[in-house]
Amino acid sequence: MAEAKHNYQVDLERIIKRLEKTGEVPHLLLHACCAPCSSYCIEYLSQFFKITVFYYNPNIAPAEEYRHRVEEIKRFVAEFKTKHPVTLIEGEYDPKKFYEIARGLENEPEGGKRCRKCFELRLSESVRLAKELNADYVTTTLTISPMKNAQVLNDVVQEQCDIYGVKRLPSDFKKKGGFKRSTELSEQYKLYRQNFCGCVYSMREAREREERAAENNTKP
């Protein structure tokens, strides 16, 4: 019998219910992967937390793509009205760090070992900053993607939280229609929605999928 998947949304709702009861408004460091994924997460979480959005994604290529994504999330944070304050910090963009951890894993499929290493790179820096800022919690928008494994992401965040002594905010933001809502907000705010995760390897896979789809459509 297969083991039931853990419901991180239920864990999150328990924390939120406690905050509503006590009136606390903790400081949350939210690692952000892009504006579309962040949109719903900010809308939802800013009702209960003061948020520092941390944009740290040295995996993104090319540099023009990175800059486009940064400008979009800055614009969304500036335009979107929230109950509690939301600020944004842009991390260092140093692609060499990503290529170092990806060495030898270039041909791994998306979602495999290379992706986990990439999560560790981005989330270790996020948790480190959460510690430096004395944030009460830390989490990532990455769990909103239907293509991402929430258990792996929560595990990686927890591993880093154990190192730095920060509390993980459980998340699986695709639950409760989160991904659908992110697409609605993206349309409303005319956010740029990319068709690949961010790195050159995910770009390659996206192109191969498009080519296969085009090929299948042209077959008699």
Side-chain angles (χ1 to χ4, degrees):
M1 185 176 176
E3 187 179 343
K5 288 184 179 178
H6 189 84
N7 193 327
Y8 296 101
Q9 177 62 30
V10 169
D11 294 344
L12 175 56
E13 287 172 0
R14 285 197 193 103
I15 292 170
I16 287 172
K17 190 174 284 188
R18 178 177 58 76
L19 296 178
E20 289 179 314
K21 195 172 182 178
T22 63
E24 293 173 72
V25 184
H27 178 195
L28 168 68
L29 186 131
L30 177 65
H31 166 262
C33 55
C34 63
C37 289
S38 302
S39 61
Y40 164 74
C41 300
I42 290 172
E43 178 185 59
Y44 177 39
L45 295 170
S46 63
Q47 299 172 72
F48 315 104
F49 299 89
K50 294 176 293 232
I51 300 175
T52 297
V53 175
F54 182 45
Y55 190 83
Y56 180 66
N57 302 289
N59 57 307
I60 295 173
E64 294 78 10
E65 176 76 16
Y66 172 84
R67 182 49 50 195
H68 193 173
R69 296 193 192 194
V70 170
E71 293 308 318
E72 284 294 85
I73 194 164
K74 284 181 179 178
R75 178 170 69 83
F76 181 77
V77 168
E79 292 178 6
F80 190 73
K81 305 303 180 194
T82 58
K83 181 177 179 179
H84 298 298
V86 177
T87 57
L88 185 142
I89 294 174
E90 181 185 352
E92 181 188 21
Y93 179 56
D94 184 358
K96 293 193 297 294
K97 290 184 177 179
F98 170 71
Y99 291 115
E100 283 167 10
I101 62 95
R103 192 176 296 121
L105 302 171
E106 293 87 351
N107 294 314
E108 279 282 310
E110 198 168 346
K113 292 177 183 176
R114 185 186 65 245
C115 287
R116 177 160 185 135
K117 288 285 186 185
C118 181
F119 298 154
E120 289 171 356
L121 170 66
R122 293 188 278 169
L123 297 175
S124 63
E125 180 63 9
S126 301
V127 179
R128 185 202 65 75
L129 181 61
K131 176 70 172 179
E132 183 181 306
L133 297 178
N134 202 27
D136 299 292
Y137 291 96
V138 61
T139 194
T140 177
T141 63
L142 284 163
T143 64
I144 200 170
S145 170
M147 305 295 289
K148 300 287 189 294
N149 186 315
Q151 181 174 337
V152 169
L153 286 161
N154 277 273
D155 286 350
V156 171
V157 175
Q158 188 60 56
E159 286 165 7
Q160 299 304 318
C161 284
D162 289 343
I163 292 168
Y164 287 99
V166 180
K167 281 191 283 190
R168 169 181 62 90
L169 190 71
S171 73
D172 190 356
F173 294 122
K174 67 181 77 65
K175 299 283 189 183
K176 295 186 69 176
F179 179 73
K180 181 175 183 293
R181 178 59 180 156
S182 75
T183 63
E184 293 169 353
L185 286 166
S186 296
E187 189 174 331
Q188 182 182 341
Y189 285 84
K190 296 180 171 54
L191 297 175
Y192 163 63
R193 290 187 68 86
Q194 61 283 348
N195 67 344
F196 67 105
C197 180
C199 73
V200 290
Y201 311 113
S202 64
M203 185 193 297
R204 179 185 65 198
E205 286 197 26
R207 283 177 180 162
E208 288 170 355
R209 283 195 301 270
E210 288 173 1
E211 287 167 5
R212 286 194 299 270
E215 197 176 284
N216 290 334
N217 287 335
T218 57
K219 283 181 180 177

